[in-house]
Amino acid sequence: MAEAHSAVAFSFTVTPEGVNVRLNHEALWHVWESGVISWKKRIGKMKNNIHNGVFPASPLSLLFVVTITMALKTCGWDTSLGAITFFHMHTPFISNYSFSVGHYLSTLLFSFVLWLGVIAFIRYTLKLLLSYHGWIYEMHGKISLRTKLWLALIRVFGGRHPMLNSYQASLPKLPVPALNDTLARYLESVRPLMDEDRFGRMERLAKEFESGLGKKLQRYLILKSWWATNYVTDWWEQYVYLSGRSPIMINSNYYGIDALLVKPTNQQVSRAANLVAIMLRYRREVDREELNPIVLNKTVPLCSAQYERQFNTTRIPGVETDTIVHLKESNHIAVYHKGRYFKVYIRHKRRLLEPIEIEAMLQRILDDETEPVEGEEHLAALTAVERTPWAKARQQFFSKGKNKASLDAIEKAAFVLVLDTEDVDYDPNDPTALDHYGRTMLHGKGFDRWFDKSFTLVVCPNGRVGFNAEHSWADAPIMAHMWEYCITDEVDKYGYREDGRCNGSLTHLPLNPIRLEWDFPKPCLDLIESSRVMAGQLCEDVDLHIMMHHAYGKGFIKTCKVSPDAFIQLALQLAYYRDAGKFCLTYESSMTRLFREGRTETVRSCTKDTCTFVRAMEAKAEKPELIRLLRAASETHQHLYRQAMTGEGIDRHLFCLYVVSKYVGEDSPFLAEVLGEPWRLSTSQTPHQQTDKLDLKKYPERIGGGGGFGPVADDGYGVSYIIAGEDTIFFHISCKRSCPTTDSHKFGQLIQQSFADMRDIFQSQ
């Protein structure tokens, strides 16, 4: 196994005989290559900015405008209404030329101004059109004439062949809801969860807030919304994620698992090589903006801002607050195997390595039998525990020498690859197998995932894969998009030989992996060990259950004329009521990417209509009445979901009002109580089939297993689900073992029973 290459391009020593200069030609070549790649990316970025700057027009349309204007002017038709003559007479650099030259120059200038004016008109019109959200409230199959006209205009002004960020400038800003509307919706959301006395108290606090401090805070928030691109996103990232000092493992990071019904190869390094190669090419598509933006109903674009930091990104710990560091380029990945860290280059002669080349390098890592240095195996436990001790350790022990260079290699990597040593798999005869799979991806052993990286790809010895993702840089749909892209292209474009190895032939040997070097003093070793113990305790407290529900799925639910998401949320409410004997404040994540730089909003799924339906189910009401109540609760839920998507949610508005109150130094009893309420049931749906790559009609076995997250409340549940195909739904249920009132397996059984009971009410009597 080769040791580390020298990173110094040249060095010199002074001797009695003179100066001795030594050149490292390989290092100089890498410096040159890096510079060329960097300049290519800059030029490409500039071209993309020009394209996006004039979209939905194209740069070539300028030639069309110039040609038409010049031809008409030559024929004696002045379409400029005298503007060309004005430019000719009053523009300094044009008026100095002869009449014929000045005539052509002034015509060119007018054409350019006209072209910019038309583009500005089209872009502003498109932004106004995208500000209309009435379409989302209309039922499928009952589209109004107004919405049909709107759809036609969107297609006219929306342009063709958009790049990833082409629509960004045309997306509207997230509006600030009216204060009285937010407060009214909040009170309505908590009414079924409070007794008369407590609800009366909250009503009084809300009225006092609305008539007093709330008006002042609202004015500040409206002012910010005029100035900022998005009035929520920067504060949400800073105060919800980066300012938190608690461990991000389990509490913040989330995970994803494989497509469980298929496994293209059993070879660990081969599958890792193919996925790494695909991810790097996906990164190139994102950098070049060749990735198609997500467009709802083939018409309405979603914000693409979150894709930028998917690669080359690390969350850096701070004593008081963390920061996100994103590099424009990274030419290597970091690999962890059996307690050792390696730096693996991903380019050769300005091109990305092929899977067969990556496979050869990873195989060398597997064949290497050197032992980790003391402390190296458990080093990543520092990223798993509280942030402040990790920040101080980073300053004290990783600011110079080997440790700094090696830490830089990890933090500046495109992403981290873990070649794991334990198998995970899906076994229909062993329900606990999936639980182990989920725990492996959520936290592993607590020290074998670099939780600060944007994501860590995990590949097990039997070829099963998954990932662990840090949450602050983006939300789960961004990772789900890449995961769907990779899992599909892995089979359709790259594939494997009959022996499970990567396709292709190795024509030359790429650079050897570089073993990272460490030198930990005793205090650092003690901190690593204490972090390992603490991380292990956090892992042991996680009770995670992954359940594959295949009795029926969205196919049957649609026949009930009910939204699949609303149906699932009602089943979760019924299960929780049967588990706890009461209702609770429920969080369901909704996206706000219809707006520029939008992230998420909360749907408060436990509504008055939901509670009425659940109580009727428990009282064994007549089936027609239960169907009526179920559909009414579903409609209420869908209305709340649409409000959240269109900027009329409750919680982000209240959160930002709370932040403003802290800035102005005035406390609000109302806001303090609202933001202190625990979310004992936190839910989220993992999107499926975001692109047309995944064809489940043709390949139904490629359904994704989704992913999950840890519990938000100490005495609550975290539930993530993915509607995988027509007949399958995966549930990822988490809670804490230390809580005597929660049990993920019991809750899973209650969900199964709720689904069975809800199907029964639609069966013929």
Side-chain angles (χ1 to χ4, degrees), residues 283-555:
R283 181 184 70 165
R284 185 171 61 188
E285 287 194 23
V286 171
D287 289 343
R288 296 177 178 178
E289 299 187 34
E290 295 170 350
L291 188 71
N292 292 328
I294 301 294
V295 180
L296 298 182
N297 298 327
K298 299 182 180 180
T299 304
V300 185
L302 299 184
C303 178
S304 301
Q306 296 181 54
Y307 288 89
E308 182 181 8
R309 298 185 295 185
Q310 190 160 19
F311 296 89
N312 325 331
T313 300
T314 302
R315 175 172 174 164
I316 303 298
V319 175
E320 294 183 356
T321 184
D322 294 353
T323 55
I324 298 176
V325 174
H326 170 71
L327 303 178
K328 295 298 181 182
E329 180 61 38
S330 177
N331 290 318
H332 71 276
I333 62 172
V335 179
Y336 177 89
H337 176 62
K338 289 187 175 180
R340 304 154 307 161
Y341 287 91
F342 299 84
K343 180 178 181 179
V344 177
Y345 284 104
I346 56 178
R347 291 186 184 274
H348 176 72
K349 294 183 178 180
R350 302 180 198 171
R351 67 168 176 82
L352 292 172
L353 295 180
E354 295 298 325
I356 191 70
E357 297 170 313
I358 300 173
E359 180 187 54
M361 289 196 295
L362 297 182
Q363 187 62 53
R364 292 175 190 168
I365 292 176
L366 259 63
D367 294 340
D368 184 281
E369 297 181 355
T370 59
E371 294 294 323
V373 301
E374 187 178 7
E376 182 180 13
E377 181 180 8
H378 303 145
L379 175 62
L382 294 172
T383 69
V385 296
E386 293 181 352
R387 306 302 292 171
T388 299
W390 169 213
K392 293 179 178 178
R394 196 173 181 277
Q395 295 172 0
Q396 184 176 359
F397 305 119
F398 298 88
S399 59
K400 59 183 179 180
K402 295 179 181 178
N403 292 348
K404 183 181 188 305
S406 295
L407 182 62
D408 281 349
I410 297 174
E411 293 182 338
K412 294 180 179 180
F415 57 89
V416 172
L417 166 66
V418 172
L419 298 174
D420 221 340
T421 55
E422 293 185 8
D423 287 337
V424 296
D425 214 336
Y426 165 64
D427 184 352
N429 299 317
D430 181 10
T432 64
L434 274 183
D435 301 348
H436 177 59
Y437 198 150
R439 288 171 61 90
T440 297
M441 299 306 160
L442 177 62
H443 53 67
K445 297 175 181 176
F447 56 77
D448 51 358
R449 313 282 183 262
W450 199 270
F451 296 102
D452 285 353
K453 284 300 289 183
S454 54
F455 70 92
T456 298
L457 172 64
V458 181
V459 185
C460 298
N462 63 346
R464 280 297 182 192
V465 297
F467 68 83
N468 181 284
E470 201 275 316
H471 210 327
S472 63
W473 62 272
D475 299 309
I478 308 303
M479 280 300 300
H481 186 176
M482 183 193 72
W483 199 238
E484 183 177 304
Y485 181 105
C486 293
I487 297 299
T488 305
D489 275 7
E490 177 191 11
V491 177
D492 293 345
K493 287 190 176 182
Y494 287 80
Y496 300 91
R497 301 196 304 251
E498 291 185 2
D499 61 356
R501 294 290 182 173
C502 293
N503 285 317
S505 58
L506 192 63
T507 57
H508 71 279
L509 293 176
L511 291 173
N512 284 329
I514 300 172
R515 173 72 185 277
L516 300 186
E517 299 179 350
W518 310 92
D519 183 14
F520 302 120
K522 183 64 166 59
C524 185
L525 292 173
D526 292 342
L527 181 61
I528 291 173
E529 178 59 20
S530 63
S531 299
R532 182 195 67 80
V533 173
M534 186 181 300
Q537 293 171 348
L538 293 173
C539 295
E540 285 299 316
D541 196 27
V542 175
D543 181 12
L544 178 66
H545 177 46
I546 300 179
M547 180 180 71
M548 182 179 181
H549 179 272
H550 46 71
Y552 64 92
K554 69 177 181 180

Side-chain angles (χ1 to χ4, degrees), residues 638-692:
Q638 284 297 95
H639 182 73
L640 292 176
Y641 204 96
R642 291 164 181 148
Q643 283 185 321
M645 287 182 64
T646 55
E648 298 179 9
I650 300 169
D651 290 275
R652 299 302 178 268
H653 186 198
L654 294 176
F655 163 76
C656 288
L657 290 171
Y658 179 78
V659 173
V660 175
S661 73
K662 292 303 178 182
Y663 277 128
V664 301
E666 296 191 44
D667 293 329
S668 166
F670 170 73
L671 291 176
E673 188 153 340
V674 169
L675 271 73
E677 295 171 338
W679 300 97
R680 291 192 172 88
L681 186 55
S682 182
T683 70
S684 179
Q685 180 182 170
T686 302
H688 209 216
Q689 286 185 277
Q690 293 195 76
T691 69
D692 56 5

Side-chain angles (χ1 to χ4, degrees), residues 224-236:
K224 187 197 175 186
S225 73
W226 292 344
W227 177 256
T229 305
N230 188 297
Y231 81 91
V232 175
T233 298
D234 57 338
W235 285 349
W236 186 253

Side-chain angles (χ1 to χ4, degrees), residues 124-369:
Y124 186 73
T125 302
L126 182 58
K127 180 176 283 192
L128 287 177
L129 290 171
L130 293 176
S131 298
Y132 168 72
H133 297 122
W135 62 274
I136 205 169
Y137 291 91
E138 295 182 359
M139 295 176 61
H140 292 290
K142 295 184 178 180
I143 302 177
S144 66
L145 179 62
R146 180 181 182 182
T147 297
K148 289 179 180 178
L149 178 61
W150 171 80
L151 286 170
L153 289 173
I154 285 285
R155 292 189 175 100
V156 170
F157 288 94
R160 298 174 61 190
H161 309 300
M163 303 183 77
L164 179 62
N165 294 319
S166 292
Y167 290 114
Q168 289 301 99
S170 299
L171 292 174
K173 286 188 175 184
L174 181 68
V176 179
L179 182 62
N180 60 330
D181 289 342
T182 295
L183 296 179
R185 286 195 288 265
Y186 166 76
L187 291 173
E188 184 179 359
S189 73
V190 298
R191 184 66 187 89
L193 305 175
M194 296 181 177
D195 58 29
E196 292 296 331
D197 291 341
R198 189 181 173 197
F199 182 74
R201 178 176 174 275
M202 287 305 299
E203 272 190 316
R204 290 191 297 273
L205 289 175
K207 288 179 180 178
E208 291 173 3
F209 178 74
E210 181 180 359
S211 60
L213 179 60
K215 292 182 178 180
K216 176 181 178 181
L217 302 181
Q218 179 78 349
R219 286 194 294 269
Y220 278 114
L221 204 54
I222 291 173
L223 181 62
K224 187 197 175 186
S225 73
W226 292 344
W227 177 256
T229 305
N230 188 297
Y231 81 91
V232 175
T233 298
D234 57 338
W235 285 349
W236 186 253
E237 180 179 295
Q238 181 63 44
Y239 297 114
V240 171
Y241 293 115
L242 299 180
S243 294
R245 301 293 83 200
S246 59
I248 61 175
M249 180 187 72
I250 301 170
N251 297 321
S252 179
N253 285 30
Y254 59 94
Y255 69 90
I257 62 175
D258 206 352
L260 299 177
L261 301 184
V262 292
K263 186 169 64 172
T265 180
N266 293 320
Q267 299 292 336
Q268 182 180 27
V269 293
S270 303
R271 189 146 199 220
N274 259 347
L275 287 177
V276 167
I278 298 168
M279 287 177 176
L280 294 174
R281 283 154 179 79
Y282 178 89
R283 181 184 70 165
R284 185 171 61 188
E285 287 194 23
V286 171
D287 289 343
R288 296 177 178 178
E289 299 187 34
E290 295 170 350
L291 188 71
N292 292 328
I294 301 294
V295 180
L296 298 182
N297 298 327
K298 299 182 180 180
T299 304
V300 185
L302 299 184
C303 178
S304 301
Q306 296 181 54
Y307 288 89
E308 182 181 8
R309 298 185 295 185
Q310 190 160 19
F311 296 89
N312 325 331
T313 300
T314 302
R315 175 172 174 164
I316 303 298
V319 175
E320 294 183 356
T321 184
D322 294 353
T323 55
I324 298 176
V325 174
H326 170 71
L327 303 178
K328 295 298 181 182
E329 180 61 38
S330 177
N331 290 318
H332 71 276
I333 62 172
V335 179
Y336 177 89
H337 176 62
K338 289 187 175 180
R340 304 154 307 161
Y341 287 91
F342 299 84
K343 180 178 181 179
V344 177
Y345 284 104
I346 56 178
R347 291 186 184 274
H348 176 72
K349 294 183 178 180
R350 302 180 198 171
R351 67 168 176 82
L352 292 172
L353 295 180
E354 295 298 325
I356 191 70
E357 297 170 313
I358 300 173
E359 180 187 54
M361 289 196 295
L362 297 182
Q363 187 62 53
R364 292 175 190 168
I365 292 176
L366 259 63
D367 294 340
D368 184 281
E369 297 181 355

Side-chain angles (χ1 to χ4, degrees), residues 33-47 288 347 349-351:
E33 290 288 300
S34 179
V36 171
I37 292 170
S38 178
W39 275 105
K40 282 186 175 180
K41 290 191 68 173
R42 290 182 186 180
I43 294 171
K45 189 73 173 177
M46 183 175 65
K47 290 171 60 179
R288 296 177 178 178
R347 291 186 184 274
K349 294 183 178 180
R350 302 180 198 171
R351 67 168 176 82

